[in-house]
Structure formats: structure tokens, C-alpha cells
Amino acid sequence: MIGKRLKLARLSLGLSLDELENRIDQLVSAQILAQYERDELMPNSQIFMALADALGVTENFLVSQSDIQLKGVVFHKHNTLTKKVEILIESLVLDFIERYLEIEEALNIASQYWEMPRYCPFPIRELFNADLTAYTMRDYWQVGMNAIPHLAEFFEERGIKVLSLSLPDGVSGLTCWVNRQNKKPVPVIVINETHSGEWQRLTLSHELGHLVQKVENNVDDEEAANRFAGAFLMPVEMLWETIGTHRRILTMGELFELKALFGVSIQMITSRCQALGIINDVTYQQLFEQFKQRGWLTQSYHLSLIHI
């Protein structure tokens, strides 16, 4: 039966049933297509090939019986998404990860499995608990206080699948779990391929926060993930060692040196220094005013830095 795969392929392209009907030159009606998706009818060979061609998938893809599901999807977004767009993104992710895992199996590539640290997901009862979680993950992965240069590869080596997809501009990424029959769940992080490398590193760390934390006591989930990201990418000990514990000013030269060290934006470094009390609110505002004047600040990126 092809219903589930047919619907997935259609949704991944953002097509309605009527639009798919037009793509196959009205060989059958939208009502008949809906019956195919519900597995109430099966298309003949001519229609089957036309559907595969119109949807840009192989015939093998449509008839595959692989049964994988996305669970616990969490979007990192800066504006409201319609349900249709969310379904479209989830369909893209499911299609991509399914092919990813099928290629691994076809080539007999040993997939790294995610090993859950003890007591994970870690409870976040206060916002500062996210800092402790970040240090725990660094200790668990034995990276100490060193910067992590190639974050996507680092996560892949530890069993987290990282996908880079073209997402709507207001979506930085998402995290979810892929469930497969008789196999361990696979954690997946999706990043927006249109964003800068620095923004992607922030998104990767933010989404890791969603994977390993469980908020309690009305702590905001997004704030906790952002706080985790800042601590994971820029441990306080490294900042203290590099620039000290209290500063009245930070020069652009110092900020760019930190940018090269941590692989993150100077805006994120500034927000992290404010959160740690290294600089006060006045210095923070003065620096961000300079960033604004230089055209280094977008509204969506600014929103992503809150409570780093």
C-alpha cells in the first residue's frame, strides 16, 4: 500500500490534492488521490509512474514499507507558523531522515547510537540549572573547557543526526526523535541551511538543550535552551580566563578574538557576558547600539540571543 508514502511526498512539496491532480495532467481527480492516500484504492501502473514523476520520488520510495515516525518535534522559531507549514517541514524532515537511514543500511555503514547520559533529561527547575546541564554534557563527552570547532560533526559522532535543510526564514531549526520498529530512537537536529555558520552553531546547541533538558516550575523552555547553548559554547571559565570576571568595556578587537575562539557571533558573546555579569547592562546596551549602527543586528537574530 502506498497511501502513507504518497501523502508524505505530497506534503513535503507543499502540494494540495488539487495541485497534485494538475501535476499529473488530471489523470485522476483529487478525490481519487485522497482515496489512494487512505489506501482505499490503488493506482494502475500508468498513474503510479505519473505520481512518482510528479512528486520527484522513485517508485521504490512509494512502495517501501519502512515505518518510521517523528516524535517530540520542537521548533526553534521567531514567529508563528501555520499548521500547514509545520506539517510541510515535518514531512521534509521525515522524508530526508528516512532516506538518510536507508542509505546507511544499504551501504552497511555503522551508525553511531545516541547513549543517554545518566539522569538525562536533566530537570531544569531554575534557569541557572541550564548552565549546570551544559557543564555536565561537556564532562560526559570529555571535552573539558575547550572550544568545539566542528559542532555538526561532533554531534554526528555521538549519535545525533544533523540535517541541514532550507527552512522558512523564521525557523532556525527543530529537534525531534525518529522511532523505528525494533530499533533505538534516533535524536535528530535540523538546522536552517540559509543561516550563517555562527547562527547554525547557536541553533545546534539550542536544540541539544531541548534534547537533554526537561523544564519544571514554569521555567520557559526556550529560555532554558538558549541558556544551555550559551554555556555549552562558551563555558564561563574560558571567558573568565580570557577577559576576566568584570569589565567596564569590551573592545571590538577583543570581541573578534573571542569570535574566532568560540566560533560564535560577537552579539552572542556580548549577551553571554551580560548574563554572567562580566559586563553590566549599560555596557551591553552601548555595544548593541554600535552593532545596530554597523548593520550587524537583525530583529530575528536579536530575539534568538535573549537569555544566552
Side-chain angles (χ1 to χ4, degrees):
M1 308 299 280
I2 69 168
K4 183 182 296 185
R5 292 303 185 91
L6 181 60
K7 186 174 183 178
L8 170 62
R10 176 175 65 81
L11 291 176
S12 69
L13 294 178
L15 297 176
S16 67
L17 289 167
D18 289 330
E19 289 168 333
L20 180 56
E21 176 188 338
N22 291 329
R23 280 205 176 195
I24 61 171
D25 296 327
Q26 299 179 333
L27 287 173
V28 293
S29 67
Q31 290 75 19
I32 297 296
L33 291 173
Q35 288 181 290
Y36 292 160
E37 291 188 354
R38 294 194 298 267
D39 287 323
E40 296 173 356
L41 291 175
M42 276 292 290
N44 62 33
S45 59
Q46 178 191 8
I47 297 170
F48 182 76
M49 290 187 289
L51 286 170
D53 184 60
L55 295 169
V57 298
T58 66
E59 294 170 25
N60 285 338
F61 172 81
L62 289 178
V63 298
S64 172
Q65 297 303 306
S66 174
D67 187 20
I68 70 172
Q69 296 179 318
L70 299 186
K71 298 292 185 182
V73 179
V74 178
F75 286 92
H76 183 195
K77 56 193 178 182
H78 311 297
N79 50 38
T80 302
L81 296 180
T82 65
K83 190 62 178 177
K84 181 178 180 180
V85 172
E86 288 190 0
I87 292 174
L88 168 60
I89 294 172
E90 290 182 28
S91 299
L92 282 170
V93 173
L94 185 57
D95 183 22
F96 199 99
I97 193 63
E98 185 172 59
R99 298 184 195 205
Y100 184 121
L101 296 172
E102 285 179 351
I103 289 172
E104 277 193 343
E105 292 183 1
L107 298 178
N108 198 27
I109 298 173
S111 180
Q112 292 293 327
Y113 284 105
W114 163 261
E115 293 189 11
M116 185 78 76
R118 192 177 183 184
Y119 305 122
C120 187
F122 301 100
I124 305 299
R125 300 184 178 95
E126 301 288 346
L127 197 56
F128 70 83
N129 293 150
D131 292 74
L132 302 177
T133 302
Y135 301 147
T136 299
M137 292 304 302
R138 279 181 157 269
D139 182 64
Y140 178 73
W141 283 333
Q142 299 180 347
V143 293
M145 293 298 110
N146 299 315
I148 305 173
H150 304 294
L151 202 56
E153 292 86 344
F154 179 85
F155 283 2
E156 286 271 356
E157 290 168 359
R158 284 150 185 82
I160 301 172
K161 302 301 183 187
V162 177
L163 308 183
S164 179
L165 300 177
S166 181
L167 302 175
D169 187 55
V171 181
S172 296
L174 63 97
T175 184
C176 62
W177 292 86
V178 172
N179 287 351
R180 295 183 290 172
Q181 190 173 11
N182 300 323
K183 293 186 179 181
K184 292 182 178 180
V186 178
V188 176
I189 293 176
V190 182
I191 56 177
N192 194 329
E193 66 180 11
T194 67
H195 289 173
S196 69
E198 296 164 352
W199 197 339
Q200 289 176 354
R201 281 174 63 82
L202 170 59
T203 300
L204 282 165
S205 302
H206 176 101
E207 300 303 337
L208 177 62
H210 283 305
L211 284 175
V212 301
Q213 299 184 138
K214 181 180 180 181
V215 298
E216 300 177 4
N217 295 349
N218 296 319
V219 175
D220 184 87
D221 196 24
E222 290 297 303
E223 289 184 14
N226 266 348
R227 183 67 174 256
F228 172 92
F232 186 79
L233 291 171
M234 295 176 286
V236 61
E237 291 88 346
M238 285 186 69
L239 283 170
W240 285 344
E241 182 179 326
T242 307
I243 59 174
T245 58
H246 295 286
R247 295 290 300 273
R248 293 181 60 187
I249 61 171
L250 284 175
T251 67
M252 288 296 169
E254 288 176 311
L255 288 171
F256 277 103
E257 287 180 5
L258 293 172
K259 170 186 169 78
L261 174 63
F262 294 117
V264 299
S265 70
I266 61 174
Q267 298 97 318
M268 183 177 176
I269 294 165
T270 304
S271 295
R272 177 72 173 149
C273 287
Q274 182 208 29
L276 294 172
I278 295 175
I279 61 174
N280 60 28
D281 292 346
V282 173
T283 302
Y284 171 84
Q285 294 295 340
Q286 289 173 343
L287 285 169
F288 264 81
E289 184 59 34
Q290 291 183 52
F291 303 155
K292 183 178 180 180
Q293 291 173 0
R294 295 172 185 236
W296 294 349
L297 196 61
T298 64
Q299 182 180 9
S300 59
Y301 191 74
H302 193 180
L303 287 171
S304 72
L305 297 170
I306 296 173
H307 299 297
I308 289 291

